[in-house]
């Protein structure tokens, strides 16, 4: 196997004083935090699409990075070269998982889905061969049901039975390949599941059909022995003006409405959270409190740009608050997939490594600091104390255990005439505690 990243060594932990650009400063895989190794807290994954396929093409210009890996793009030789390069890349970084869409792995045949399916069989055999004897396996797989023009009116939400059947065929094959590659999960990201105008859209009909496609996918997956989670990845807009899986709360409501909530969890992407007008932390909290903390697409957006920039995570505050939610929520069933891409001018193989070192160190720092916040206890104790009137008064206990009546509470209010001051929210104090922990 030819080496694609010849000038780049294996990336090792050297600690915060290291100035080596090809070393981790914070990600120390064997370090134990709150009883678990860092690498177990942080099952990092490489996104096949951004890392091995994307060349920096944007709406204004051609690609700036060479991702040919010595082969002609669009061929099976290229598909295999991407496997070789990807395995070398993951080994050098110590990453044990990858995520894929069907068409990231092989070129889609424009005229015959049977040809595409045979290519998927061939490439998945090749991936298994190349990852044999390593710890590298699939985190989750998915089907790309947004790129091909046949999905212009949606996939599960399409008006066409033929297109709906193509979506079903792709989901079926992607589930097969995910199972074959040992995947922990299967993702639905509703790229074209939404609308541009309600003048041409039967929203109820479309949502029922999306649920039906998901139900068929669950039934099929379970019949093939797939025990992992299905995930919805919420996003409010882009490519559609309005997307049905707007945010975690919307997606969870949808899953509960259609009886899919036992088989599905959330795959939360930081950049999608901010596009929905929420923080990353908010989306993780909503997922965790509903028992649906599944997986994470680790990236960040740009607060000055209103679109999905998929940047490598750099913001330690956000990563810390995200890890605070993940730790308190008992961890992920999935992992941390870098759905992130190098900026277009960062176009060398070295930049691919710098990007992952940045992202892995950012989440490692977030993990370290979130654990310190929890062990410190000042923030958690404040929150516990804030609601204590519901646990240290008889009336509070009755409200919580569903035995109080409206009349009884009204009588209490009339009795005390005027409530006590509920107490300060202490936001600035709590923020100063977080800074104290972050920078100590
Ligand atoms: Mn994104």
């Amino acid at each position: 196997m030819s080496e694609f990243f010849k000038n780049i060594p294996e990336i090792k932990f050297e600690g915060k004083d290291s100035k080596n650009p090809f070393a981790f400063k914070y990600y120390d895989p064997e370090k134990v935090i709150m009883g678990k190794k860092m690498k177990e807290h942080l099952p990092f994954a490489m996104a096949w699409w951004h890392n091995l396929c994307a060349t920096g093409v944007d709406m204004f210009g051609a690609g700036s990075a060479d991702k040919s890996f010595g082969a002609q793009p669009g061929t099976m030789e290229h598909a295999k070269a991407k496997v070789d390069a990807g395995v070398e890349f993951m080994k050098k970084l110590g990453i044990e998982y990858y995520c894929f869409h069907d068409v990231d792995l092989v070129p889609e045949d424009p005229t015959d889905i049977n040809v595409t399916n045979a290519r998927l069989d061939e490439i998945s055999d090749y991936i298994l061969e190349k990852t044999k004897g390593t710890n590298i396996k699939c985190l989750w797989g998915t089907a790309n049901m947004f790129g091909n023009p046949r999905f212009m009116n949606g996939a599960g939400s399409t008006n066409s039975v033929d297109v709906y059947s193509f979506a079903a065929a792709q989901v079926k094959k992607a589930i097969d390949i995910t199972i074959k590659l040992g995947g922990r999960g299967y993702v639905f990201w509703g790229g074209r599941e939404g609308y541009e105008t309600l003048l041409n859209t039967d929203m109820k009909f479309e949502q029922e059909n999306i649920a039906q496609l998901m139900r068929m996918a669950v039934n099929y997956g379970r019949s093939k022995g797939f025990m992992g989670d299905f995930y919805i990845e919420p996003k409010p807009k882009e490519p559609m003006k309005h997307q049905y899986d707007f945010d975690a709360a919307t997606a969870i409501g949808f899953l509960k409405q259609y009886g899919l909530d036992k088989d599905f969890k959330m795959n939360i992407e930081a950049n999608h959270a901010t596009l929905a007008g929420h923080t990353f932390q908010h989306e993780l909290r909503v997922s965790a409190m509903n028992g649906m903390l599944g997986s994470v697409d680790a990236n960040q957006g740009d607060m000055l740009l209103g679109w999905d920039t998929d940047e490598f995570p750099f913001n330690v505050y956000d990563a810390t608050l995200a890890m605070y939610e993940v730790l308190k929520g008992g961890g992920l069933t999935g992992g941390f997939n870098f759905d992130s891409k190098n900026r277009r001018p960062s176009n060398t193989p070295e930049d691919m490594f710098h990007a992952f070192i940045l992202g892995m160190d950012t989440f490692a720092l977030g993990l370290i600091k979130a654990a310190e916040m929890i062990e410190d206890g000042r923030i958690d104790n404040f929150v516990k104390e804030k609601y204590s009137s519901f646990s240290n008064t008889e009336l509070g206990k009755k409200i919580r255990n569903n035995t109080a009546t409206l009349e009884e509470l009204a009588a209490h209010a009339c009795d005390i005439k005027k409530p006590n001051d509920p107490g300060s929210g202490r936001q600035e104090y709590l923020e100063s505690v977080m800074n104290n922990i972050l920078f100590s």
Side-chain angles (χ1 to χ4, degrees):
M1 187 171 98
S2 58
E3 204 183 342
F4 295 96
F5 306 102
K6 280 196 188 70
N7 303 323
I8 296 157
E10 242 181 74
I11 312 300
K12 302 268 191 213
F13 171 73
E14 290 186 4
K16 67 183 171 61
D17 296 325
S18 169
K19 300 285 186 272
N20 178 358
F22 295 105
F24 296 119
K25 316 301 183 295
Y26 303 99
Y27 180 63
D28 182 3
E30 300 298 321
K31 184 186 167 86
V32 174
I33 302 224
M34 292 179 80
K36 225 161 84 174
K37 286 181 181 177
M38 218 184 235
K39 68 173 187 182
E40 292 162 356
H41 281 291
L42 298 169
F44 288 125
M46 176 192 76
W48 214 269
W49 53 101
H50 283 315
N51 206 48
L52 302 174
C53 307
T55 58
V57 173
D58 69 13
M59 286 193 281
F60 302 92
S64 58
D66 179 4
K67 299 278 176 78
S68 63
F69 303 112
Q72 180 62 39
T75 64
M76 281 304 283
E77 287 65 39
H78 183 233
K80 288 180 181 174
K82 287 195 293 185
V83 175
D84 295 342
V87 170
E88 183 191 337
F89 185 83
M90 288 184 276
K91 276 186 186 167
K92 285 189 165 168
L93 281 157
I95 287 183
E96 297 185 350
Y97 296 93
Y98 57 87
C99 298
F100 69 88
H101 304 82
D102 45 3
V103 300
D104 304 332
L105 298 181
V106 295
E108 185 176 13
D109 186 88
T111 57
D112 188 352
I113 190 174
N114 296 293
V115 174
T116 310
N117 284 348
R119 289 176 181 167
L120 285 167
D121 291 335
E122 186 185 347
I123 205 71
S124 49
D125 284 341
Y126 191 72
I127 292 171
L128 286 178
E129 183 191 321
K130 291 294 167 178
T131 54
K132 204 172 169 190
T134 74
N135 292 324
I136 296 171
K137 54 212 159 295
C138 174
L139 182 68
W140 53 253
T142 187
N144 179 322
M145 304 193 292
F146 46 89
N148 193 293
R150 66 175 165 267
F151 296 121
M152 68 180 187
N153 293 346
S157 60
T158 183
N159 57 306
S160 155
V161 170
D162 284 354
V163 174
Y164 193 87
S165 302
F166 258 74
Q170 279 186 248
V171 169
K172 176 176 176 289
K173 192 67 184 175
I175 290 173
D176 289 339
I177 301 297
T178 299
I179 294 171
K180 180 174 170 183
L181 297 174
R184 281 192 189 189
Y186 183 86
V187 167
F188 280 87
W189 174 58
R192 303 280 174 189
E193 314 290 34
Y195 64 81
E196 297 295 331
T197 172
L198 286 175
L199 291 174
N200 67 11
T201 301
D202 186 336
M203 196 197 295
K204 182 167 186 283
F205 182 92
E206 293 195 355
Q207 293 201 2
E208 286 168 357
N209 275 4
I210 293 168
Q212 193 57 32
L213 183 63
M214 289 178 174
R215 193 171 293 116
M216 290 187 284
V218 169
N219 291 342
Y220 177 74
R222 299 302 181 220
S223 79
K224 294 290 168 184
F226 177 63
M227 302 296 286
D229 287 320
F230 289 82
Y231 299 123
I232 283 183
E233 181 176 327
K235 187 177 183 182
K237 56 189 170 188
E238 206 197 16
M240 304 306 280
K241 183 177 79 176
H242 180 95
Q243 304 221 180
Y244 294 138
D245 301 327
F246 190 94
D247 60 2
T250 308
I252 290 167
F254 169 87
L255 292 170
K256 288 184 174 172
Q257 181 181 357
Y258 292 105
L260 294 160
D261 50 308
K262 297 287 173 284
D263 294 287
F264 274 81
K265 289 187 166 59
M266 294 295 111
N267 181 43
I268 297 298
E269 174 173 325
N271 202 162
H272 296 179
T274 50
L275 288 175
H278 301 310
T279 61
F280 187 18
Q281 184 187 17
H282 169 97
E283 289 291 83
L284 292 169
R285 178 74 62 93
V286 170
S287 304
M289 73 189 212
N290 282 286
M292 290 209 184
L293 196 54
S295 204
V296 162
D297 267 19
N299 66 15
Q300 69 179 47
D302 186 315
M303 287 306 168
L304 302 182
L305 302 175
W307 62 92
D308 196 8
T309 58
D310 285 347
E311 296 173 29
F312 275 88
F314 160 70
N315 186 317
V316 177
Y317 280 96
D318 285 349
T320 301
L321 292 169
M323 291 313 300
Y324 180 73
E325 296 302 322
V326 170
L327 286 175
K328 286 170 72 81
L332 302 176
T333 62
F336 294 85
N337 168 47
F338 287 109
D339 186 10
S340 313
K341 59 189 176 194
N342 283 97
R343 295 307 85 193
R344 191 164 177 270
S346 303
N347 64 343
T348 71
E350 288 78 9
D351 290 303
M352 293 167 67
F353 282 84
H354 291 322
F356 273 72
I357 292 167
L358 167 68
M360 293 165 78
D361 268 344
T362 298
F363 269 86
L365 253 177
L367 168 64
I368 293 165
K369 293 300 173 183
E372 285 177 24
M373 278 165 65
I374 291 168
E375 283 162 352
D376 175 271
R378 279 177 285 175
I379 292 173
D380 285 343
N381 287 339
F382 174 83
V383 175
K384 198 171 164 218
E385 182 58 30
K386 183 181 170 192
Y387 298 97
S388 61
S389 73
F390 283 86
S391 55
N392 64 19
T393 66
E394 284 313 307
L395 202 53
K397 286 181 201 162
K398 287 180 83 174
I399 294 168
R400 294 298 292 167
N401 68 25
N402 201 24
T403 54
T405 65
L406 203 65
E407 296 94 316
E408 191 179 4
L409 299 179
H412 172 68
C414 294
D415 189 39
I416 60 173
K417 296 192 179 72
K418 174 175 176 300
N420 291 318
D421 185 331
S424 167
R426 298 263 186 264
Q427 180 172 337
E428 296 79 5
Y429 162 69
L430 296 167
E431 288 168 345
S432 81
V433 168
M434 183 170 172
N435 271 352
N436 176 229
I437 292 166
L438 238 59
F439 297 101
S440 63

